[in-house]
Amino acid sequence: MSSLGSPSPFFLAGKKAYEVERSLRFNSDDTAYLNRTPSSAGNRKTFTWSGWIKRSGLDASNNAHVFFDSRDGASQTIECTFGFLTNNTFFFDVTGAGIRTNALFRDVSAWQHWVIAVNTTEASSSNRVKIYVNGSQITSFSSANYPSQNYDTAINAQYLHSIGRYNNGGHHDGYMAEINFIDGFAYDPSYFGETDVLTGQWNPKKYTGSYGTNGF
């Protein structure tokens, strides 16, 4: 396994236009995470999160292996969070709504590219949250209760935003690399990755668009 800050071997295979040289390790036992509180509100209805994830363990006692989380202070009545549950499904939750995949994600040896694109202004409920892994959209869910139209999520509000931590307890256990967060646009994976024509492998590419008010 690569050490903290070491090159990620999967990025080196095949023909590529863009190489990600470093990754950040999150150790759930150390309760490590990143966080920020935006100084001003952005677009709470439309955003995209893209990142490469490699799990280190499947610890069922670790409440949730979260990619991204935001919620309103002490009351925590407005939330948006997504990542892996303890049963190894992927989840996306906002207050009063949530999505659970049928697929299980238990591979601790491979990197995966995840894109979560949210646009609650969409008339069709299933278009309000789109989830992609390695360039392909996930369409099979054990439950899919989408946010209401024009719902304001906790993302891009002036609340604490955390990478790798669930605010109610539980931390990601593994690696993350090449995280892009886009405020105001719901993008598909082609903005962040591409298929290697020689190997058929899904590889990262540099995002070159706008990040919006609170993007990074």
Side-chain angles (χ1 to χ4, degrees):
M1 179 178 292
S2 54
S3 61
L4 176 63
S6 69
S8 305
F10 90 104
F11 290 126
L12 308 180
K15 184 180 178 180
K16 61 190 182 305
Y18 181 55
E19 180 177 313
V20 177
E21 297 181 342
R22 301 287 172 181
S23 61
L24 184 64
R25 183 184 179 189
F26 294 77
N27 185 345
S28 61
D29 290 338
D30 295 336
T31 63
Y33 66 98
L34 305 174
N35 75 93
R36 71 184 289 261
T37 300
S39 59
S40 62
N43 192 324
R44 296 175 60 181
K45 297 178 174 66
T46 307
F47 59 86
T48 307
W49 190 98
S50 168
W52 290 82
I53 305 293
K54 182 177 183 291
R55 304 190 71 178
S56 292
L58 308 176
D59 182 6
S61 66
N62 184 23
N63 189 18
H65 296 251
V66 166
F67 300 177
F68 200 41
D69 176 271
S70 179
R71 60 193 63 227
D72 62 326
S75 64
Q76 298 191 3
T77 56
I78 303 174
E79 68 161 338
C80 182
T81 186
F82 49 85
F84 298 123
L85 291 173
T86 55
N87 65 358
N88 300 309
T89 60
F90 178 86
F91 79 99
F92 174 93
D93 279 349
V94 297
T95 305
I99 298 168
R100 306 287 186 271
T101 65
N102 278 313
L104 304 178
F105 300 94
R106 296 176 293 192
D107 190 345
V108 297
S109 65
W111 284 88
Q112 294 179 328
H113 179 222
W114 287 84
V115 173
I116 293 84
V118 175
N119 184 357
T120 67
T121 69
E122 290 281 356
S124 174
S125 61
S126 61
N127 287 332
R128 294 173 197 157
V129 180
K130 294 182 178 180
I131 301 164
Y132 304 86
V133 60
N134 293 337
S136 297
Q137 186 175 356
I138 297 176
T139 57
S140 178
F141 302 105
S142 61
S143 62
N145 181 16
Y146 293 94
S148 59
Q149 190 172 20
N150 295 314
Y151 176 81
D152 281 324
T153 73
I155 302 297
N156 283 320
Q158 291 176 272
Y159 304 147
L160 179 70
H161 290 56
S162 299
I163 294 175
R165 181 184 72 155
Y166 182 45
N167 248 344
N168 280 344
H171 292 71
H172 176 62
D173 194 21
Y175 296 80
M176 292 188 183
E178 191 66 5
I179 293 173
N180 284 278
F181 174 70
I182 317 302
D183 177 356
F185 300 91
Y187 286 147
D188 65 58
S190 66
Y191 287 80
F192 313 99
E194 59 191 351
T195 301
D196 188 301
V197 296
L198 298 180
T199 67
Q201 177 175 310
W202 183 256
N203 284 337
K205 75 176 185 182
K206 184 176 178 61
Y207 174 71
T208 58
S210 169
Y211 283 92
T213 300
N214 289 317
F216 54 84

